[in-house]
Amino acid sequence: MSNPLSNLSARERRLIVITLLVIGGSACVLLGLQGYNRIASLDGEIDRLEQELMNLTQQNAQRSAVEEAYRQVVEEHSSEMTKEEIHDNLRREIFRLAKTVIPAKGGRPAREVDLVRIPTLREGLLREEGEGYREYEIRFRIPLTRVQNLMRFLQRIETSSQILRIDSLDLSRSPESTQVQATLVITRTVLDNPDAASPRGGAGVGARVSRVGSV
């Protein structure tokens, strides 16, 4: 049986060799690219796992400090206060948050002014169904005020040293006015049993707007 290549000219044999070399080279390049992409993917996964390990290590190192800070908060807000004492303390805190200090300027001394005006704070509702804590809910109204002042007041509530939560915020505004009226429902959490609370199960501080109306 004759060799098929023997019937080909030298030029044709060179073309076949070159074609085989190109095919082989392309296959090697393709395999190399696949291997490179696989290695790059593994390197990215290693970097991600190393970063995750670093984050977990930092969190574990900070755990004792976080737990100590939480114990201090629990001790500060744990109390056997009566309903009247809770209301009185909350009332003073809300009125404090409703005021701001204008710093001295141009020879004029610093002075305290109303950030928002709160006409009255009626008695609230004390809920004691929680295990190890109580919640005192109070509702009050803020007459016409600037939106910027109201937002600053809400921010101050969230950063209060007491455990306060904004449960409801109703806004209304007349078409011809740039000021708004607001009705808020705020809840203060009082921890009665520090041992029954945990960092994951605390009441926390949050804010949500339930209804925003325009008149």
Side-chain angles (χ1 to χ4, degrees):
M1 185 175 181
S2 61
N3 187 351
L5 296 178
S6 61
N7 298 326
L8 300 177
S9 65
R11 181 174 179 275
E12 291 172 334
R13 286 196 293 270
R14 285 196 300 272
L15 289 175
I16 291 176
V17 172
I18 291 172
T19 301
L20 292 175
L21 290 175
V22 170
I23 294 174
S26 299
C28 290
V29 170
L30 181 60
L31 291 174
L33 288 175
Q34 290 179 344
Y36 174 81
N37 291 335
R38 177 60 178 169
I39 292 174
S41 176
L42 291 175
D43 286 341
E45 182 68 12
I46 291 172
D47 291 340
R48 185 188 68 81
L49 292 175
E50 287 179 345
Q51 184 62 42
E52 183 175 346
L53 178 60
M54 185 181 300
N55 293 337
L56 292 174
T57 302
Q58 292 176 347
Q59 292 176 10
N60 186 62
Q62 297 171 354
R63 180 178 178 180
S64 58
V66 171
E67 290 180 348
E68 176 61 26
Y70 175 76
R71 282 194 295 270
Q72 292 178 2
V73 171
V74 169
E75 292 174 359
E76 179 180 353
H77 298 284
S78 298
S79 173
E80 295 295 337
M81 291 188 298
T82 65
K83 178 180 179 181
E84 290 74 20
E85 290 172 332
I86 295 174
H87 174 80
D88 188 54
N89 288 343
L90 179 57
R91 177 180 177 276
R92 288 198 302 267
E93 177 68 0
I94 290 176
F95 280 130
R96 184 188 70 83
L97 298 174
K99 294 183 180 295
T100 187
V101 176
I102 298 179
K105 184 178 181 182
R108 302 176 62 180
R111 65 187 190 277
E112 188 178 65
V113 298
D114 287 334
L115 187 60
V116 296
R117 187 168 60 87
I118 303 174
T120 184
L121 282 175
R122 303 183 184 279
E123 184 178 353
L125 174 65
L126 181 64
R127 293 191 294 268
E128 303 190 53
E129 60 269 18
E131 181 178 353
Y133 69 93
R134 292 175 291 168
E135 291 188 335
Y136 186 80
E137 178 187 288
I138 191 170
R139 177 187 297 268
F140 59 93
R141 185 179 64 85
I142 297 177
L144 290 175
T145 186
R146 297 172 57 194
V147 174
Q148 296 89 333
N149 290 354
L150 178 61
M151 293 300 103
R152 287 180 59 192
F153 175 63
L154 297 179
Q155 290 174 352
R156 298 190 70 183
I157 289 176
E158 290 201 338
T159 57
S160 168
S161 60
Q162 297 187 12
I163 305 180
L164 304 183
R165 182 180 70 244
I166 303 174
D167 288 327
S168 175
L169 169 62
D170 295 340
L171 298 179
S172 62
R173 177 183 66 85
S174 59
E176 65 276 3
S177 175
T178 59
Q179 296 185 320
V180 297
Q181 301 180 66
T183 300
L184 286 87
V185 176
I186 293 178
T187 296
R188 178 188 179 187
T189 300
V190 179
L191 305 177
D192 295 325
N193 183 3
D195 296 331
S198 67
R200 296 172 181 257
V205 178
R208 64 177 181 273
V209 179
S210 61
R211 298 183 298 277
V212 178
S214 178
V215 179

